[in-house]
Amino acid sequence: MSTVEIKNLHKSFGPLDVLKGIDFTVEAGQVVCVIGPSGSGKSTLLRCVNLLERPTSGQVFVDGTELTDPDVDIDAVRRRLGMVFQQFNLFQHLTVLRNVTIAQERVLKRGRAEARKIAGETLEKVGLGEKADCFPAQLSGGQQQRVAIARALAMNPSLMLFDEPTSALDPELVGDVLSVMRELARDGMTMLVVTHEMGFAREVADRVVFMDRGAIVEDGPPEQVIAAPRHARTREFLGRVLHPEH
């Protein structure tokens, strides 16, 4: 069963066409990495999946529910979606534990004890169980991003969306975040990941989607799209990313 299905998706900002008829699906349990140059529409596509951006036309389905239906209960759908942004968006005045419990209590209506138990388990999962009583400012950027992942996981999502989750991190901190994402993939989490981390995409993705100028140019397994791309534009992009010295 498809977790995500996108049909003829268009998104314009005024005269600028950012998405030009996107069609693709993400099957349950798949990891799909979206790559491409800046300005190609990758992040806009991701934001249309949970209606942070409303498409100009086309349809988006998540777990069989049409998000683009005007009558959809978008809050109910979003409870099943975890989103991790480039910036961590943590509450700086709250402890790590409280950052992970607050949405559980207010959105899912879990009791405090249950929320704390689940928060503790998810923080352990991302390797930060001992940081529960710290404040975000006491953590590195990589640790803060792992808290953001724990916060999303604590909501029991059926789909995780990642919008370049390592782009704001120092290079030495990237590995810890990618390690957590690898674990999620091994556990069978359905993931749609916008990323510049080609090694991660090659190793973890079931499929890689290459976008350019608002369209999908190439879509296939990483051994095809990254290792043996069929399209000249894909080859040009990967040449620049993988071999910047040339």
Side-chain angles (χ1 to χ4, degrees):
M1 176 184 171
S2 298
T3 298
V4 180
E5 187 174 8
I6 295 173
K7 297 182 177 181
N8 196 27
L9 189 69
H10 290 258
K11 177 61 181 176
S12 300
F13 294 99
L16 182 64
D17 294 328
V18 178
L19 298 177
K20 304 171 184 176
I22 301 291
D23 290 285
F24 84 110
T25 60
V26 180
E27 303 293 333
Q30 272 193 335
V31 178
V32 177
C33 285
V34 183
I35 64 173
S38 297
S40 59
K42 308 183 300 294
S43 291
T44 300
L45 171 63
L46 205 66
R47 293 170 69 86
C48 284
V49 170
N50 64 0
L51 250 57
L52 289 176
E53 296 286 356
R54 187 163 285 278
T56 304
S57 63
Q59 294 173 293
V60 178
F61 297 84
V62 173
D63 292 337
T65 300
E66 184 186 349
L67 273 65
T68 38
D69 181 339
D71 297 324
V72 72
D73 183 351
I74 188 60
D75 291 333
V77 177
R78 282 189 182 135
R79 288 181 200 127
R80 306 201 299 270
L81 304 179
M83 179 99 185
V84 178
F85 300 89
Q86 296 177 34
Q87 304 301 326
F88 324 124
N89 298 328
L90 299 177
F91 295 112
Q92 296 297 314
H93 65 292
L94 300 179
T95 65
V96 164
L97 183 69
R98 190 67 183 129
N99 265 281
V100 182
T101 59
I102 190 168
Q104 294 185 65
E105 294 175 23
R106 295 189 179 178
V107 177
L108 299 183
K109 307 303 181 188
R110 287 177 180 153
R112 175 158 288 201
E114 183 187 9
R116 288 173 67 93
K117 178 177 181 290
I118 291 169
E121 291 168 354
T122 52
L123 287 169
E124 288 289 347
K125 191 179 187 72
V126 301
L128 292 173
E130 79 285 359
K131 301 292 186 183
D133 295 326
C134 294
F135 288 89
Q138 297 172 292
L139 306 181
S140 71
Q143 289 171 327
Q144 290 188 60
Q145 189 62 294
R146 282 148 63 198
V147 173
I149 294 172
R151 176 180 58 189
L153 288 177
M155 304 295 283
N156 292 340
S158 63
L159 169 69
M160 286 285 285
L161 306 172
F162 292 89
D163 187 6
E164 298 189 26
T166 60
S167 65
L169 301 179
D170 292 334
E172 72 231 41
L173 303 176
V174 168
D176 289 340
V177 173
L178 294 181
S179 176
V180 169
M181 294 171 67
R182 284 188 190 93
E183 279 294 318
L184 293 180
R186 279 194 284 268
D187 290 345
M189 175 63 73
T190 309
M191 296 161 62
L192 182 55
V193 185
V194 171
T195 185
H196 290 298
E197 301 290 341
M198 295 302 144
F200 174 83
R202 184 186 282 130
E203 176 192 346
V204 178
D206 297 295
R207 281 173 39 226
V208 175
V209 174
F210 173 66
M211 288 184 65
D212 188 40
R213 299 181 182 179
I216 292 177
V217 177
E218 200 154 350
D219 178 354
E223 57 269 22
Q224 181 245 299
V225 175
I226 296 178
R230 294 170 181 161
H231 292 264
R233 182 67 188 98
T234 317
R235 289 195 292 271
E236 178 191 5
F237 170 78
L238 289 169
R240 290 179 175 174
V241 170
L242 297 175
H243 308 289
E245 66 277 7
H246 299 317

